[in-house]
């Protein structure tokens, strides 16, 4: 039996790394750039990258309303870094008007872009993650953090008092990049969410 068909939004960012990670944990990963490709997947992963660039391309390809509708209808999704920003209901410091990052409202949360600082402030470290026996080695690159969560949002990990991993129903988000470390537990968790095992 094959795993769930999970799309990776392939507009910009760590697309190849996420495709490989999903394949390693038993999913059938496919790149998504068009409406027909989005319609054909069970779930969607929004990778790290540059949230304003990704938002610009979502507008150009007329995918914003489609994505919001799929999320509202319960499509499972996972966003890492820029993907977390896009899955928010509200974005602090969203960017310049006309090129601002677009909140897709997948999770009832407010996210601050580049909250930990610029590229030179990027860092990595071990983070305790709810439900996992061992800490996750997390890589933060111009990472966001969560400033507010709604009542239905579960905080899974924190750094410096700020949530950096959250879940609401079938939607998961991390401000760090698990695709670059070789630790597949976050991707396995997402597959389990998609298949209803957790």
């Amino acid at each position: 039996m094959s795993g769930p068909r999970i799309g990776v939004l392939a507009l910009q960012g760590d697309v190849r790394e996420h495709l490989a990670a999903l394949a390693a944990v038993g999913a059938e990963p496919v790149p998504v750039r068009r409406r027909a490709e989005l319609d054909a997947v069970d779930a969607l992963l929004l990778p790290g990258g540059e949230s304003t660039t990704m938002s610009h391309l979502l507008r150009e390809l007329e995918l914003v309303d489609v994505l919001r509708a799929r999320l509202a209808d319960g499509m499972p999704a996972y966003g890492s870094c820029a993907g977390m920003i896009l899955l928010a209901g509200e974005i602090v410091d969203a960017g310049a008007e006309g090129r601002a990052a677009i909140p897709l409202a997948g999770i009832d949360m407010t996210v601050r872009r580049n909250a930990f600082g610029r590229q030179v402030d990027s860092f990595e470290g071990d983070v305790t993650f709810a439900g996992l026996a061992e800490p996750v080695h997390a890589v933060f690159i111009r990472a966001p953090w969560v400033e507010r969560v709604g009542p239905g949002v579960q905080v899974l990990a924190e750094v410096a008092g700020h949530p950096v991993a959250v879940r609401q129903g079938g939607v998961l988000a991390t401000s760090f990049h698990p695709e670059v470390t070789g630790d597949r537990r976050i991707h396995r968790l997402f597959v389990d969410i998609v298949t209803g095992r957790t």
Side-chain angles (χ1 to χ4, degrees):
M1 183 173 126
S2 64
R5 188 174 174 85
I6 298 179
V8 176
L9 189 65
L11 304 181
Q12 192 254 349
D14 289 350
V15 176
R16 183 175 53 209
E17 294 86 349
H18 279 295
L19 290 168
L22 287 169
V25 296
E28 180 190 346
V30 293
V32 169
R33 296 180 190 88
R34 296 175 180 81
R35 166 76 184 265
E37 294 164 340
L38 179 60
D39 289 343
V41 298
D42 303 314
L44 184 69
L45 191 153
L46 293 82
E50 215 297 307
S51 58
T52 56
T53 300
M54 292 166 73
S55 295
H56 171 72
L57 293 168
L58 286 171
R59 287 186 195 95
E60 289 289 307
L61 295 168
E62 299 181 348
L63 287 175
V64 175
D65 291 340
V66 181
L67 251 177
R68 282 186 177 140
R70 287 289 312 269
L71 288 166
D73 286 345
M75 176 184 69
Y78 166 45
S80 67
C81 198
M84 171 187 257
I85 294 166
L86 296 178
L87 285 174
E90 181 183 13
I91 302 167
V92 178
D93 190 23
E97 192 172 336
R99 280 192 52 82
I102 299 171
L104 297 171
I107 296 178
D108 180 11
M109 63 179 174
T110 302
V111 170
R112 180 177 293 276
R113 291 174 66 237
N114 302 331
F116 287 103
R118 302 176 64 80
Q119 188 82 21
V120 295
D121 301 308
S122 298
F123 66 100
E124 52 188 274
D126 291 341
V127 175
T128 300
F129 195 102
L132 299 181
E134 299 295 327
V136 171
H137 190 72
V139 176
F140 295 86
I141 304 170
R142 289 190 305 152
W145 67 39
V146 179
E147 298 212 332
R148 178 201 62 85
V149 295
V153 179
Q154 179 186 8
V155 175
L156 302 174
E158 293 186 351
V159 169
H162 295 282
V164 295
V166 294
R167 176 182 176 183
Q168 184 173 18
V171 185
L172 176 70
T174 63
S175 64
F176 52 88
H177 292 262
E179 74 280 5
V180 302
T181 65
D183 183 343
R184 301 301 182 223
R185 289 177 295 165
I186 306 298
H187 290 84
R188 188 172 294 114
L189 170 62
F190 182 47
V191 170
D192 286 347
I193 289 170
V194 175
T195 58
R197 287 197 289 266
T198 184

